[in-house]
Amino acid sequence: MVKEVKTLKSFSQSAEKFEGSHLLCPGCGHGIIVREVLNAVDGPIVLGNSTGCLEVCSAVYPHTSWDVPWIHIGFENGSTAISGVESMYKALERKGKYKGQRPKFVAFGGDGASYDIGFQFISGCLERGHDMTYICLDNENYANTGGQRSGSTPMGASTSTTPAGKVSFGKKERKKDLPLIMAAHGIPYTAQIAPNKWKDMNKKIKTALDTEGPCFINALSPCPTEWKYHSSLAIEMTDLAVDCLIFPLFEIFHGQELKITYRPRNVLPVRDYLGVQKRFAHLFKKENEHIIEALQKDVDARWEYLQRREEAKV
Amino acid sequence: MASSYHLNGVEAWDGCTASAHALRQAQVDVVAAYPITPSTPIIQNYGSFKDNGYIDGEFVLVESEHAAMSACVGAAAAGGRVSTATSSQGFALMVEVLYQASGMRLPIVLNVANRALASPLNIHCDHSDMYLGRDSGWISLCTCNPQEVYDFTLMAFKLAEHTGVRVPVMVHQDGFLSSHTVQNVRPLADHVAYKFVGDYVGVHPMLDFDKPVSYGAQAEEEWHFEHKAKLHHAIMESSAVLEEIFNDFAKLTGRQYNILETFNMEDAEVAIFALGTTWESAIVAAKKAREKGIKAGVVTTHLLRPFPFVALGEVFKKTKAVAIMDKSSPSGAMGALFNEVAASLYQVQGSRHPVLSNYIYGLGGRDLTQTDLDRIFEDLSQDAQKGALTHPTQQFIGLNGPELSYF
Ligand SMILES: Cc1ncc(C[n+]2csc(CCOP(=O)(O)OP(=O)(O)O)c2C)c(N)n1
Ligand code: SF4
């Protein structure tokens, strides 16, 4: 039921369920990821959305960009809204009041909605075992409210609430490891995806939607506006992120079996990624160089950890 | 198929059991819930109905009240009958989503066993949570005993789902005083109750894939106001629908409800206006006051929202003094209910208004005694004779010594 997209051309030929008339910034990763999810599905799909860029840019009354049933309640509860829809489907199906094909249930939330305020809600949905896929659009900041730090913002990034200044190098804390926390619920499927690796992304979306039970996907979503780079470079940004291993691509089955799905032939230093985004520009000052080193150390250690888990099949 | 439950003509139920049976009989499709005293037995009873095969619907045990209402919103938008229950802090946690539910015009029914709000933590009844949700765009029904809880919960589905209404409804009962007090309740047989409530009629269900619908879009200054105005008008018009439902229910059961319930108001010179269980206590006091020659009456409303301000203005047209009883802290103002009644009197143009006074009582479960009520009728009687207040407009009754304070 979920299509495997073998060529880029077949994407362009599939029916559009997310219309072009949205208000996302040019080059925003959110639109790319959403379209790839919708293009991957043939049958009925229901979408939930947390408050954030995607929601405010796609449904401004009386307009909507969505050609599929879609719901937004609040910032934290997009996941739970979909768990409610899924529960109603189960009830109506059991009572013989719903006769169609079993729909796919998907919730989108930004990293703010997922790493922070909606964390408990997602955890609840995963624990209860709803048949749904939660997709975090991880642009590493609260973009909709003007680029504040989130639990996903990398250490050293200058954001509107952690601006780099005379006595500050930007955000002090490391990025929360959300996919691994979510996988620890023992859910059937967890993955990280990035839009540049579109085949890998399509395959993982297909796996998640075809898997019965709760699945979690963390999607790197480049944000030219808040990362501060030219909007034509979205895909190049994700190329750099995966090639310097700042955003490794992997999947985890049942919280137990980790597989790395992309190994860069030439691993790049994180400096290459940081250097092209203004949110990290201040790190290249002499007094902040140690933050780049710390970030590189973190990235190396995490990659090492992921590899060891893969090897040990855990 | 869920098996049907054998009920006797009269059952000994507390308010929580009564509402759980009403949810079961309405064949709710999704209940998403989280426990909090004193509403907990509603979902416990419901859970046992589910686990014993009396319920076909989904029972979703979420991780918080915020999630409970969020799941209810998703489920209701999907297109089916939805309900939950809560109290106090749980209600407070739901408030954000209450506005979202009413804004989307989703006919959810929420049973609330009213309880005080912390701090200090307290599990007993007052109406602080009821007033917290008062302006959230829900129709708000008040009840005074387990029979009314049962009857009103059934009627709430009919009201919320009425195609001319489509507004969520909360049914209030006094925590412990009603929720845990066992009384005789005359239930309907399962099939009769379900027939009364009727099948759920979907309006823009999300699970209709031929007509995809977007729920919860943002509406800025061009449209937000219109949505709120429409919601307000739907709520205002719902009282006429409720009256029809009352009449249909009376034909079925012989129990005739009215939006305003009055006791001895035909010739009353003084009256107490109070919500929930206090209605019955005040009737006892009014009878005693009559024996002493005070022309005492009592008024309550089954509707906090929409507030029956026109009818109230009429009811108090000839009354000389009215005490408005508020079971929540005014925190720097006149009591919430006092303000509602005072405003209502201005609906009746040109008439003399009764002398109004405001009694704050029962916070955190403090008992309201018959002695307190006797005193209030005495106060009112003096006000009526003088044609003016003979005491401060606002009084706290039943307080312990004034020397006790938090700081
Ligand atoms: C309860 C609540 N708190 C705060 C907000 C304000 N708010 C709306 S969107 C948002 C940030 C969204 O960030 P994220 O989830 O990362 O999504 P993005 O906009 O980056 O796509 C915030 C703080 C809100 N809508 N609701
Ligand atoms: S601010 Fe960033 S996330 Fe928001 S629409 Fe623009 S590019 Fe996309």
Side-chain angles (χ1 to χ4, degrees), chain B residues 58-72:
Chain B
E58 281 292 298
F59 184 41
V60 192
L61 294 163
V62 288
E63 83 290 351
S64 74
E65 290 86 351
H66 194 299
M69 191 45 70
S70 303
C72 284

Side-chain angles (χ1 to χ4, degrees), chain A residues 38-223:
Chain A
L38 288 170
N39 283 341
V41 178
D42 255 344
I45 180 167
V46 182
L47 294 182
N49 206 161
S50 290
T51 314
C53 277
L54 178 63
E55 170 264 326
V56 303
C57 294
S58 63
V60 183
Y61 186 87
H63 306 290
T64 180
S65 302
W66 303 97
D67 273 349
V68 294
W70 175 91
I71 185 166
H72 156 253
I73 309 179
F75 186 18
E76 59 286 319
N77 49 9
S79 57
T80 314
I82 283 302
S83 80
V85 177
E86 187 254 3
S87 302
M88 182 56 78
Y89 158 78
K90 277 199 270 191
L92 297 183
E93 216 262 342
R94 185 181 313 127
K95 293 180 178 187
K97 293 182 187 168
Y98 178 92
K99 297 254 159 54
Q101 212 182 329
R102 185 185 185 93
K104 303 290 179 192
F105 300 94
V106 176
F108 289 109
D111 52 287
S114 314
Y115 284 68
D116 302 335
I117 194 169
F119 182 73
Q120 163 192 312
F121 294 77
I122 304 170
S123 175
C125 289
L126 302 185
E127 183 268 332
R128 293 195 299 275
H130 295 282
D131 182 19
M132 60 184 278
T133 297
Y134 187 91
I135 301 178
C136 170
L137 304 169
D138 188 357
N139 63 10
E140 301 187 330
N141 77 97
Y142 298 173
N144 180 51
T145 37
Q148 296 83 26
R149 65 91 86 182
S150 80
S152 165
T153 306
M155 183 172 63
S158 179
T159 74
S160 65
T161 46
T162 61
K166 278 189 195 136
V167 295
S168 167
F169 58 79
K171 194 200 176 201
K172 304 277 177 299
E173 305 81 16
R174 294 180 161 79
K175 178 169 171 143
K176 192 193 274 187
D177 209 336
L178 191 64
L180 294 193
I181 299 170
M182 291 307 171
H185 286 78
I187 52 174
Y189 189 68
T190 309
Q192 272 210 150
I193 60 176
N196 61 325
K197 301 293 172 200
W198 60 271
K199 272 195 180 174
D200 176 75
M201 168 154 75
N202 177 260
K203 221 171 128 196
K204 287 172 178 165
I205 290 168
K206 179 179 154 54
T207 307
L209 297 191
D210 278 347
T211 299
E212 217 181 301
C215 301
F216 182 86
I217 290 180
N218 199 41
L220 182 65
S221 185
C223 169

Side-chain angles (χ1 to χ4, degrees), chain B residues 242-274:
Chain B
L242 182 61
E243 271 171 344
E244 280 171 31
I245 294 172
F246 279 163
N247 294 338
D248 291 347
F249 194 73
K251 276 179 215 146
L252 191 67
T253 64
R255 293 191 287 276
Q256 177 74 57
Y257 293 105
N258 302 290
I259 289 170
L260 274 189
E261 300 288 1
T262 57
F263 175 78
N264 274 352
M265 283 305 291
E266 301 73 27
D267 63 340
E269 289 184 350
V270 300
I272 282 179
F273 182 75

Side-chain angles (χ1 to χ4, degrees), chain A residues 183 186-187 252-258 309 312-314:
Chain A
I187 52 174
I252 305 174
F253 298 90
H254 306 289
Q256 305 267 15
E257 197 186 324
L258 187 144
R309 268 191 71 166
K313 294 191 169 33
V314 290

Side-chain angles (χ1 to χ4, degrees), chain A residues 81 83-85 87-89 91-92 95, chain B residues 22-23 26-33 46 57-58 60 67-85 94 101 106-111 138 153 156-158 160-161 166-170 197 200-201:
Chain A
S83 80
V85 177
S87 302
M88 182 56 78
Y89 158 78
L92 297 183
K95 293 180 178 187
Chain B
L23 303 189
Q27 296 182 25
V28 176
D29 296 305
V30 173
V31 169
Y46 194 79
E58 281 292 298
V60 192
M69 191 45 70
S70 303
C72 284
V73 168
R81 187 163 289 155
V82 172
S83 191
T84 185
M94 276 185 187
L106 298 171
I108 300 162
V109 170
L110 167 64
N111 270 283
W138 286 54
T153 303
F157 287 105
K158 226 174 149 65
E161 293 168 13
R166 304 299 292 190
V167 174
V169 176
M170 45 183 106
V197 176
Y200 180 86
V201 181

